[in-house]
């Protein structure tokens, strides 16, 4: 009876529950602080975000890992930008971005924003609402990686 | 449900069955984007999601959510609102300087106000008598504006909110034309001041820390008075014409008096009037009074001059520095 119940439960559970064990996505946020030492040299430090005020530069770090025994395909990571954060850059990872709440996607340099008077202008980092990385190759079993982007507290 | 954040960063692991979209909606806390920045106490919540295919169709997994509470940045800007130095006169009281105090931080903050009159770099120290907080119309009115008492009615401003502050001073009687006196208004955050980056744990709006911003938590700006005084000098001269074509002061001779009033200085004099008694043993020549070469009637009427039987009087009103007024009249020797 007990065995039968377990089998039934397994059948009812959606695939996502299994996927959760196969692919892990961890999100952490740091504050990037630039200090100038006695010699006038600038040092960039990533700190735990204990104190965050407008104007601070936040570094969002996403760690992904394929913990399953098989490759995962069509791997796409999406990060909606919090309202109070203005997108700055994503290093050299060239993510796709959306400037319209996630409807249309493209490289920032390819996107335009329609203005109230009907004309369009090139999209700026401040227009970005979502960031997305779409992997061209499957993620091999056991593989992991790290993505990051920067944003500024509005 | 969501727990209230207690620290700067909160890491929460969730069951990855809820869609990212639903989660984003749940976390959409009120957040005002202003010039001063995100309001202190707002929560910045970040969650990423991954979608993929392991052969059995598209699947989605959400990351943990990181919540950051925005701390309070303390900044204040004081600006002198007077477009130029405010003219004053020696001994004048209730001389008005106008300032604005703006909370340029991101949280509600109280500010202590003070005035510095002996900051140097000027010719004299105005005596600050009162500070008033405007009622919102931008115009000083002691009846409707609030007399400021430090500690009792310190202005409390929302982010980006401004208040107009009036400083009233007395000008010392010893100042002279062209002297300049400055007064600085200082606004100091009640939470604290210090070097940018100084933080006050737990004292920020919304329960976070308060952090001193680029202004150091206090601001000041300088307004100035310029003494605009004027002096009046009168020069009276007389020309005698006797009935025989000479200039002997004999009975029947006519004396023409000329009085020149000269106003000097950068200011002006107001209520200026020239009065001269007709000397004994002489008689005023009716209708002989002139101002600037134009005749004036003897009656006290619409024009500036009159003769009342014993003296002439010419009302000049307000005369600016650098100008002269010339009055003439005639008498005959009895």
């Amino acid at each position: 009876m007990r065995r039968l119940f377990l089998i039934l439960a397994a059948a009812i559970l959606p695939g996502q529950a299994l996927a959760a064990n196969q692919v892990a996505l961890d999100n952490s946020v740091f504050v990037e602080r630039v200090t100038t030492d006695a010699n006038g040299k600038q040092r960039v430090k990533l700190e735990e975000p204990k104190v965050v005020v407008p104007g601070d530069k936040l570094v969002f770090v996403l760690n992904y890992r394929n913990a399953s025994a098989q490759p995962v395909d069509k791997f796409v990571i999406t990060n909606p930008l919090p309202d109070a954060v203005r997108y700055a850059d994503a290093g050299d990872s060239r993510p796709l971005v959306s400037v319209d709440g996630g409807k249309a996607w493209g490289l920032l340099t390819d996107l335009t924003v329609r203005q109230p008077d009907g004309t369009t202008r090139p999209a700026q980092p401040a227009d970005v609402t979502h960031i997305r990385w779409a992997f061209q190759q499957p993620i091999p079993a056991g593989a992991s990686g790290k993505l990051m982007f920067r944003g500024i507290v509005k | 449900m969501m727990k209230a954040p207690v620290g700067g960063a909160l890491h929460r692991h969730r069951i990855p069955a809820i869609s990212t979209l639903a989660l984003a909606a749940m976390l959409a806390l009120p957040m005002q984007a202003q010039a001063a920045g995100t309001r202190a106490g707002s929560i910045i919540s970040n969650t990423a999601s991954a979608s993929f295919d392991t052969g059995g169709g598209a699947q989605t997994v959400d990351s943990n959510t990181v919540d950051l509470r925005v701390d309070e940045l303390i900044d204040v800007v004081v600006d002198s609102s007077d477009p130029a130095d405010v003219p004053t006169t020696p001994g004048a009281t209730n001389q008005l300087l106008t300032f604005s105090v703006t909370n340029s931080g991101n949280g509600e903050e109280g500010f202590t106000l003070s005035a510095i009159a002996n900051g140097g770099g000027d010719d004299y120290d105005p005596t600050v008598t009162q500070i008033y907080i405007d009622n919102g119309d931008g115009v000083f009115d002691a009846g409707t504006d609030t007399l400021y008492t430090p500690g009792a009615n310190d202005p409390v401003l929302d982010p980006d909110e401004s208040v107009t502050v009036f400083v009233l001073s007395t000008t010392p009687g010893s100042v002279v034309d062209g002297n300049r006196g400055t007064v600085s208004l200082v606004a100091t955050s009640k939470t604290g001041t210090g070097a940018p980056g100084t933080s006050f744990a737990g004292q920020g709006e919304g329960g976070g820390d308060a952090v001193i911003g680029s202004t150091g938590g206090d601001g000041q700006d300088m307004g100035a008075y310029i003494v605009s005084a004027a002096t009046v000098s009168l020069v009276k001269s007389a020309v005698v014409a006797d009935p025989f074509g000479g200039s002997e002061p004999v009975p029947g001779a006519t004396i023409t008096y000329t009085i020149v009033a000269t106003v000097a200085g950068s200011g002006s004099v107001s209520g200026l009037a020239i009065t001269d008694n007709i000397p004994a043993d002489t008689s005023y020549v009716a209708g002989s009074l002139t101002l600037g070469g134009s005749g004036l009637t003897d009656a006290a009427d619409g024009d500036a001059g009159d003769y009342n039987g014993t003296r002439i009087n010419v009302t000049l009103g307000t005369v600016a520095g650098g100008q002269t007024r010339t009055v003439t009249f005639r008498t005959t020797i009895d």
Side-chain angles (χ1 to χ4, degrees):
Chain A
M1 185 61 197
R2 186 185 176 88
R3 188 184 187 85
L4 180 65
F5 176 77
L6 278 175
I7 292 165
L8 278 173
I12 291 163
L13 277 173
Q16 279 185 339
L18 276 173
N21 297 325
Q22 295 172 339
V23 172
L25 181 61
D26 182 72
N27 157 35
S28 50
V29 184
F30 301 92
V31 183
E32 187 175 293
R33 301 213 190 273
V34 180
T35 54
T36 308
D37 67 15
N39 301 324
K41 258 193 172 172
Q42 291 204 328
R43 283 219 159 118
V44 178
K45 269 180 19 183
L46 289 186
E47 295 180 356
E48 284 286 316
K50 290 201 173 65
V51 175
V52 175
V53 294
D56 277 349
K57 188 174 267 189
L58 300 178
V59 178
F60 296 83
V61 178
L62 302 172
N63 282 293
Y64 61 88
R65 190 164 52 89
N66 178 8
S68 72
Q70 55 202 353
V72 296
D73 200 6
K74 299 174 185 165
F75 191 62
V76 175
I77 291 178
T78 305
N79 197 136
L81 205 64
D83 284 347
V85 175
R86 188 175 71 243
Y87 176 70
D89 68 275
D92 50 9
S93 66
R94 288 171 60 82
L96 300 173
V97 297
S98 173
V99 295
D100 59 5
K103 291 198 277 288
W105 297 87
L107 292 173
L108 182 59
T109 47
D110 296 339
L111 295 176
T112 57
V113 171
R114 186 169 291 278
Q115 302 186 94
D117 65 2
T119 61
T120 57
R121 61 165 173 81
Q124 303 293 321
D127 300 319
V128 170
T129 61
H130 291 66
I131 305 156
R132 169 173 283 179
W133 293 268
F135 289 71
Q136 303 300 313
Q137 305 293 328
I139 310 295
S144 64
K146 179 189 280 192
L147 298 163
M148 62 73 69
F149 66 96
R150 291 190 186 86
I152 294 166
V153 180
K154 289 183 193 169
Chain B
M1 263 312 285
M2 291 184 50
K3 283 181 290 185
V6 289
L10 294 177
H11 298 260
R12 226 178 26 243
H13 296 274
R14 301 176 309 100
I15 302 162
I18 310 169
S19 81
T20 311
L21 224 68
L23 184 83
M26 270 168 59
L27 294 172
L29 296 176
M31 216 172 282
Q32 296 154 269
Q34 306 178 24
T38 307
R39 183 82 187 234
S42 303
I43 305 297
I44 295 176
S45 189
N46 191 62
T47 310
S49 67
S51 69
F52 54 92
D53 196 332
T54 50
Q59 300 176 19
T60 303
V61 61
D62 286 340
S63 75
N64 60 303
T65 294
V66 176
D67 286 346
L68 304 180
R69 178 174 44 209
V70 176
D71 294 297
E72 181 180 345
L73 197 59
I74 296 179
D75 271 318
V76 59
V77 173
V78 178
D79 267 318
S80 168
S81 309
D82 296 307
D85 290 358
V86 174
T88 186
T89 53
T93 59
N94 294 335
Q95 300 296 289
L96 183 68
L97 291 179
T98 307
F99 295 88
S100 69
V101 176
T102 304
N103 177 1
S104 50
N106 68 337
E108 185 188 81
E109 189 64 30
F111 298 97
T112 305
L113 305 178
S114 59
I116 300 173
N118 60 353
D122 55 3
D123 302 310
Y124 74 96
D125 293 340
T127 306
V128 175
T129 51
Q130 284 157 334
I131 297 175
Y132 276 87
I133 296 170
D134 185 39
N135 64 351
D137 64 3
V139 179
F140 175 63
D141 179 347
T144 55
D145 294 336
T146 305
L147 179 63
Y148 174 66
T149 308
N153 55 2
D154 297 322
V156 175
L157 303 177
D158 279 332
D160 284 334
E161 189 183 359
S162 286
V163 67
T164 299
V165 174
F166 302 110
V167 173
L168 298 182
S169 313
T170 297
T171 305
S174 56
V175 299
V176 298
D177 186 41
N179 279 178
R180 192 165 182 268
T182 60
V183 176
S184 292
L185 181 72
V186 182
T188 306
S189 157
K190 295 185 75 172
T191 300
T193 59
T198 306
S199 72
F200 299 88
Q203 294 190 48
E205 182 185 62
D209 294 349
V211 182
I212 300 298
S214 56
T215 64
D218 55 7
Q220 72 175 61
D221 198 22
M222 188 182 278
Y225 301 101
I226 183 85
V227 176
S228 185
T231 54
V232 181
S233 58
L234 293 178
V235 175
K236 184 177 177 181
S237 58
V239 174
V240 179
D242 65 38
F244 317 108
S247 57
E248 293 302 313
V250 296
T254 300
I255 307 173
T256 301
Y257 291 100
T258 302
I259 301 169
V260 178
T262 302
V263 180
S266 66
S268 58
V269 292
S270 60
L272 183 62
I274 292 174
T275 300
D276 201 8
N277 290 322
I278 304 303
D281 302 323
T282 67
S283 301
Y284 173 72
V285 176
S288 65
L289 188 60
T290 70
L291 169 61
S294 302
L296 300 172
T297 63
D298 293 338
D301 51 17
D303 68 29
D306 75 285
Y307 168 68
N308 71 351
T310 59
R311 57 109 186 101
I312 60 96
N313 179 66
V314 178
T315 304
L316 299 174
T318 300
V319 180
Q323 297 194 10
T324 61
R325 294 287 186 274
T326 302
V327 170
T328 67
F329 63 95
R330 294 196 305 274
T331 64
T332 55
I333 299 174
D334 296 338

PDB file of all heavy atoms in Angstrom, chain B residues 56-72:
ATOM      1  N   GLY B  56      12.296  16.426 -22.168  1.00  0.00           N
ATOM      2  CA  GLY B  56      10.902  16.168 -21.814  1.00  0.00           C
ATOM      3  C   GLY B  56      10.048  17.406 -21.868  1.00  0.00           C
ATOM      4  O   GLY B  56       9.047  17.515 -21.168  1.00  0.00           O
ATOM      5  N   GLY B  57      10.451  18.415 -22.637  1.00  0.00           N
ATOM      6  CA  GLY B  57       9.682  19.659 -22.736  1.00  0.00           C
ATOM      7  C   GLY B  57      10.317  20.762 -21.907  1.00  0.00           C
ATOM      8  O   GLY B  57      11.218  20.508 -21.105  1.00  0.00           O
ATOM      9  N   ALA B  58       9.843  22.009 -22.137  1.00  0.00           N
ATOM     10  CA  ALA B  58      10.431  23.172 -21.469  1.00  0.00           C
ATOM     11  C   ALA B  58      10.129  23.145 -19.974  1.00  0.00           C
ATOM     12  O   ALA B  58       9.031  22.806 -19.564  1.00  0.00           O
ATOM     13  CB  ALA B  58       9.886  24.456 -22.087  1.00  0.00           C
ATOM     14  N   GLN B  59      11.130  23.475 -19.194  1.00  0.00           N
ATOM     15  CA  GLN B  59      10.974  23.555 -17.747  1.00  0.00           C
ATOM     16  C   GLN B  59      11.567  24.863 -17.274  1.00  0.00           C
ATOM     17  O   GLN B  59      12.408  25.457 -17.935  1.00  0.00           O
ATOM     18  CB  GLN B  59      11.697  22.387 -17.070  1.00  0.00           C
ATOM     19  CG  GLN B  59      11.167  21.035 -17.516  1.00  0.00           C
ATOM     20  CD  GLN B  59      11.968  19.894 -16.906  1.00  0.00           C
ATOM     21  OE1 GLN B  59      12.656  20.096 -15.912  1.00  0.00           O
ATOM     22  NE2 GLN B  59      11.861  18.733 -17.495  1.00  0.00           N
ATOM     23  N   THR B  60      11.129  25.273 -16.105  1.00  0.00           N
ATOM     24  CA  THR B  60      11.601  26.550 -15.557  1.00  0.00           C
ATOM     25  C   THR B  60      11.996  26.348 -14.110  1.00  0.00           C
ATOM     26  O   THR B  60      11.337  25.601 -13.382  1.00  0.00           O
ATOM     27  CB  THR B  60      10.489  27.621 -15.627  1.00  0.00           C
ATOM     28  OG1 THR B  60      10.082  27.751 -16.985  1.00  0.00           O
ATOM     29  CG2 THR B  60      10.984  28.959 -15.115  1.00  0.00           C
ATOM     30  N   VAL B  61      13.077  26.986 -13.735  1.00  0.00           N
ATOM     31  CA  VAL B  61      13.471  26.977 -12.326  1.00  0.00           C
ATOM     32  C   VAL B  61      13.812  28.414 -11.931  1.00  0.00           C
ATOM     33  O   VAL B  61      14.405  29.150 -12.705  1.00  0.00           O
ATOM     34  CB  VAL B  61      14.654  26.017 -12.068  1.00  0.00           C
ATOM     35  CG1 VAL B  61      15.882  26.445 -12.864  1.00  0.00           C
ATOM     36  CG2 VAL B  61      14.992  25.971 -10.591  1.00  0.00           C
ATOM     37  N   ASP B  62      13.346  28.812 -10.748  1.00  0.00           N
ATOM     38  CA  ASP B  62      13.636  30.153 -10.254  1.00  0.00           C
ATOM     39  C   ASP B  62      14.825  30.124  -9.310  1.00  0.00           C
ATOM     40  O   ASP B  62      15.038  29.145  -8.592  1.00  0.00           O
ATOM     41  CB  ASP B  62      12.436  30.732  -9.494  1.00  0.00           C
ATOM     42  CG  ASP B  62      11.326  31.139 -10.440  1.00  0.00           C
ATOM     43  OD1 ASP B  62      11.620  31.330 -11.630  1.00  0.00           O
ATOM     44  OD2 ASP B  62      10.175  31.237  -9.992  1.00  0.00           O
ATOM     45  N   SER B  63      15.540  31.195  -9.300  1.00  0.00           N
ATOM     46  CA  SER B  63      16.631  31.326  -8.329  1.00  0.00           C
ATOM     47  C   SER B  63      16.045  31.683  -6.973  1.00  0.00           C
ATOM     48  O   SER B  63      14.846  31.941  -6.837  1.00  0.00           O
ATOM     49  CB  SER B  63      17.589  32.430  -8.774  1.00  0.00           C
ATOM     50  OG  SER B  63      17.005  33.698  -8.532  1.00  0.00           O
ATOM     51  N   ASN B  64      16.908  31.703  -5.999  1.00  0.00           N
ATOM     52  CA  ASN B  64      16.528  32.319  -4.726  1.00  0.00           C
ATOM     53  C   ASN B  64      16.248  33.799  -4.967  1.00  0.00           C
ATOM     54  O   ASN B  64      16.618  34.367  -5.993  1.00  0.00           O
ATOM     55  CB  ASN B  64      17.667  32.155  -3.713  1.00  0.00           C
ATOM     56  CG  ASN B  64      18.923  32.819  -4.208  1.00  0.00           C
ATOM     57  OD1 ASN B  64      19.412  32.489  -5.299  1.00  0.00           O
ATOM     58  ND2 ASN B  64      19.433  33.780  -3.456  1.00  0.00           N
ATOM     59  N   THR B  65      15.595  34.434  -4.020  1.00  0.00           N
ATOM     60  CA  THR B  65      15.311  35.868  -4.112  1.00  0.00           C
ATOM     61  C   THR B  65      16.207  36.611  -3.120  1.00  0.00           C
ATOM     62  O   THR B  65      16.344  36.195  -1.976  1.00  0.00           O
ATOM     63  CB  THR B  65      13.835  36.136  -3.777  1.00  0.00           C
ATOM     64  OG1 THR B  65      13.043  35.534  -4.787  1.00  0.00           O
ATOM     65  CG2 THR B  65      13.541  37.628  -3.729  1.00  0.00           C
ATOM     66  N   VAL B  66      16.826  37.663  -3.604  1.00  0.00           N
ATOM     67  CA  VAL B  66      17.614  38.521  -2.710  1.00  0.00           C
ATOM     68  C   VAL B  66      16.844  39.826  -2.507  1.00  0.00           C
ATOM     69  O   VAL B  66      16.465  40.477  -3.480  1.00  0.00           O
ATOM     70  CB  VAL B  66      19.006  38.825  -3.302  1.00  0.00           C
ATOM     71  CG1 VAL B  66      19.770  39.790  -2.392  1.00  0.00           C
ATOM     72  CG2 VAL B  66      19.789  37.539  -3.483  1.00  0.00           C
ATOM     73  N   ASP B  67      16.587  40.144  -1.247  1.00  0.00           N
ATOM     74  CA  ASP B  67      15.915  41.403  -0.931  1.00  0.00           C
ATOM     75  C   ASP B  67      16.915  42.362  -0.289  1.00  0.00           C
ATOM     76  O   ASP B  67      17.584  42.001   0.679  1.00  0.00           O
ATOM     77  CB  ASP B  67      14.764  41.182   0.069  1.00  0.00           C
ATOM     78  CG  ASP B  67      13.580  40.517  -0.603  1.00  0.00           C
ATOM     79  OD1 ASP B  67      13.558  40.489  -1.848  1.00  0.00           O
ATOM     80  OD2 ASP B  67      12.695  40.028   0.112  1.00  0.00           O
ATOM     81  N   LEU B  68      17.002  43.556  -0.832  1.00  0.00           N
ATOM     82  CA  LEU B  68      17.845  44.588  -0.230  1.00  0.00           C
ATOM     83  C   LEU B  68      16.942  45.738   0.199  1.00  0.00           C
ATOM     84  O   LEU B  68      16.085  46.151  -0.562  1.00  0.00           O
ATOM     85  CB  LEU B  68      18.838  45.159  -1.255  1.00  0.00           C
ATOM     86  CG  LEU B  68      19.775  44.214  -1.965  1.00  0.00           C
ATOM     87  CD1 LEU B  68      20.651  45.021  -2.912  1.00  0.00           C
ATOM     88  CD2 LEU B  68      20.639  43.486  -0.956  1.00  0.00           C
ATOM     89  N   ARG B  69      17.154  46.171   1.400  1.00  0.00           N
ATOM     90  CA  ARG B  69      16.412  47.358   1.809  1.00  0.00           C
ATOM     91  C   ARG B  69      17.251  48.588   1.529  1.00  0.00           C
ATOM     92  O   ARG B  69      18.435  48.648   1.885  1.00  0.00           O
ATOM     93  CB  ARG B  69      16.067  47.308   3.298  1.00  0.00           C
ATOM     94  CG  ARG B  69      15.321  48.574   3.740  1.00  0.00           C
ATOM     95  CD  ARG B  69      14.850  48.494   5.165  1.00  0.00           C
ATOM     96  NE  ARG B  69      15.886  47.960   6.006  1.00  0.00           N
ATOM     97  CZ  ARG B  69      15.656  47.257   7.119  1.00  0.00           C
ATOM     98  NH1 ARG B  69      14.426  47.010   7.502  1.00  0.00           N
ATOM     99  NH2 ARG B  69      16.655  46.807   7.831  1.00  0.00           N
ATOM    100  N   VAL B  70      16.628  49.598   0.906  1.00  0.00           N
ATOM    101  CA  VAL B  70      17.344  50.837   0.598  1.00  0.00           C
ATOM    102  C   VAL B  70      17.444  51.673   1.873  1.00  0.00           C
ATOM    103  O   VAL B  70      16.448  51.933   2.538  1.00  0.00           O
ATOM    104  CB  VAL B  70      16.622  51.624  -0.516  1.00  0.00           C
ATOM    105  CG1 VAL B  70      17.320  52.958  -0.775  1.00  0.00           C
ATOM    106  CG2 VAL B  70      16.570  50.788  -1.783  1.00  0.00           C
ATOM    107  N   ASP B  71      18.652  52.047   2.209  1.00  0.00           N
ATOM    108  CA  ASP B  71      18.880  52.838   3.412  1.00  0.00           C
ATOM    109  C   ASP B  71      18.677  54.323   3.112  1.00  0.00           C
ATOM    110  O   ASP B  71      18.569  54.731   1.966  1.00  0.00           O
ATOM    111  CB  ASP B  71      20.294  52.580   3.938  1.00  0.00           C
ATOM    112  CG  ASP B  71      20.450  51.136   4.415  1.00  0.00           C
ATOM    113  OD1 ASP B  71      19.752  50.774   5.371  1.00  0.00           O
ATOM    114  OD2 ASP B  71      21.230  50.393   3.807  1.00  0.00           O
ATOM    115  N   GLU B  72      18.632  55.089   4.182  1.00  0.00           N
ATOM    116  CA  GLU B  72      18.387  56.521   4.005  1.00  0.00           C
ATOM    117  C   GLU B  72      19.681  57.277   3.745  1.00  0.00           C
ATOM    118  O   GLU B  72      20.657  57.128   4.473  1.00  0.00           O
ATOM    119  CB  GLU B  72      17.695  57.115   5.247  1.00  0.00           C
ATOM    120  CG  GLU B  72      17.409  58.603   5.056  1.00  0.00           C
ATOM    121  CD  GLU B  72      16.720  59.245   6.254  1.00  0.00           C
ATOM    122  OE1 GLU B  72      16.207  58.520   7.121  1.00  0.00           O
ATOM    123  OE2 GLU B  72      16.706  60.493   6.306  1.00  0.00           O
TER     124      GLU B  72
END
